[in-house]
């Protein structure tokens, strides 16, 4: 029987289907029975989806130009 | 599987630039610098820190330039360039006698979400429900975005490196193993640890409005 802690430990494997059929079934079974882990699972997945869309808004144009100049002179 | 087979924009760019690059065309080299400076800097920064990341990236470009005629195309050009960047960063760390192994799972002994579970593995402090759980809603909060960036910058080097390559640069685990010279299973563990730490911070922010 999986514990809540296992649900957290294996959340990425479950998400990315890196599990056997049997393991997956056990994972789903726990989610079915455990309200807290359902909340965790939903919010973890939302967080991962959100984190993937974090894009750096950094501006490197100055360093890019400098690098190009240096390579030009090689 | 999360890795699909349709060509990514960088693969199209490489197919166009590679023949010219092999002939030493500086114009194409410039376009390569434009395209890859950002990802290289993000990777270098996760390994050596912000202050010398630009130096490391410039060194990496010199190495790339010298090695380009020998590029065999066994990986994508981007993977190859990022691997050179990672090696440049590791060399730099070694020169400053700092820790170099990206393979070690730092913090591997500590629990995920420490303090949140009872001894029997059930929740001691269960997840709180959030006002709005959609990724879109989470993204619109600028303060939380800043908080996540700050938190990401404080994760162990190898977690940052894997997280950025996988989630922000969309590399496959195969490519990540090639770039960082770590095993696929370690890469998966590192990514998961980074995600859970960041999830914990998002949860904390949702609850308290503070970072
Ligand atoms: Zn549970």
């Amino acid at each position: 029987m999986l514990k809540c802690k296992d649900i957290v430990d294996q959340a990425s494997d479950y998400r990315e289907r890196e599990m056997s059929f049997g393991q997956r079934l056990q994972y789903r079974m726990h989610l079915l029975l455990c309200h807290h882990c359902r909340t965790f699972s939903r919010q973890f997945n939302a967080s991962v989806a959100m984190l993937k869309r974090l894009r750096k808004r950094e501006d490197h144009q100055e360093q890019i130009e400098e690098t190009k100049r240096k390579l030009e002179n090689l | 599987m999360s890795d699909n087979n349709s060509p990514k924009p960088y693969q199209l760019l490489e197919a166009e630039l590679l023949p010219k690059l092999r002939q030493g065309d500086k114009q194409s080299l410039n376009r390569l610098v434009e395209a890859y400076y950002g990802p290289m800097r993000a990777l270098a920064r996760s390994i050596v820190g912000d202050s010398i990341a630009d130096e490391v990236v410039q060194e990496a470009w010199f190495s790339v330039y010298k090695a380009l005629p020998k590029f065999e195309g066994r990986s994508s050009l981007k993977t190859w360039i990022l691997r050179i960047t990672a090696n440049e960063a590791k060399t730099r760390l070694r020169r400053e006698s700092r820790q170099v192994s990206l393979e070690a799972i730092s913090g591997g002994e500590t629990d995920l979400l420490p303090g949140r579970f009872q001894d029997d593995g059930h929740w001691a402090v269960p997840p709180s429900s959030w006002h709005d759980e959609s990724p879109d809603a989470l993204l619109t909060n600028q303060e939380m975005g800043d908080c996540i960036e700050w938190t990401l910058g404080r994760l162990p080097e190898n977690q940052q490196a894997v997280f950025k390559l996988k989630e922000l640069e969309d590399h496959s685990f195969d490519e990540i193993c090639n770039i960082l010279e770590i095993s696929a299973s370690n890469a998966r563990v590192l990514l998961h640890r980074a995600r859970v730490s960041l999830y914990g911070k998002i949860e904390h922010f949702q609850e308290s409005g503070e970072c």
Side-chain angles (χ1 to χ4, degrees), chain A residues 4 30 34 37, chain B residues 123:
Chain A
C4 301
H30 185 108
C34 181
C37 283
Chain B
W123 290 99

Side-chain angles (χ1 to χ4, degrees), chain B residues 123-195:
Chain B
W123 290 99
V125 185
S128 56
S129 31
W130 298 351
H131 173 63
D132 190 337
E133 292 179 351
S134 71
D136 284 323
L138 294 173
L139 264 178
T140 54
N141 189 330
Q142 181 59 46
E143 267 177 70
M144 193 176 71
D146 295 344
C147 172
I148 290 168
E149 301 251 329
W150 184 87
T151 308
L152 179 58
R154 269 144 201 85
L155 294 177
E157 291 93 344
N158 48 12
Q159 288 186 29
Q160 277 187 58
V162 173
F163 181 86
K164 286 180 187 171
L165 290 169
K166 185 79 183 84
E167 306 290 59
L168 307 185
E169 291 297 324
D170 206 23
H171 284 284
S172 69
F173 278 109
D174 276 352
E175 289 166 335
I176 293 171
C177 297
N178 190 346
I179 293 165
L180 298 176
E181 300 177 80
I182 63 177
S183 69
S185 58
N186 271 6
R188 286 189 184 278
V189 172
L190 291 166
L191 175 67
H192 184 58
R193 296 197 80 86
R195 281 173 169 175

Side-chain angles (χ1 to χ4, degrees), chain A residues 2-5 7 30-31 33-38, chain B residues 117 121-123:
Chain A
L2 290 177
K3 297 170 181 132
C4 301
K5 197 173 175 308
I7 296 301
H30 185 108
L31 289 186
L33 300 172
C34 181
H35 158 72
H36 290 323
C37 283
R38 276 203 303 280
Chain B
F117 296 99
H122 286 95
W123 290 99

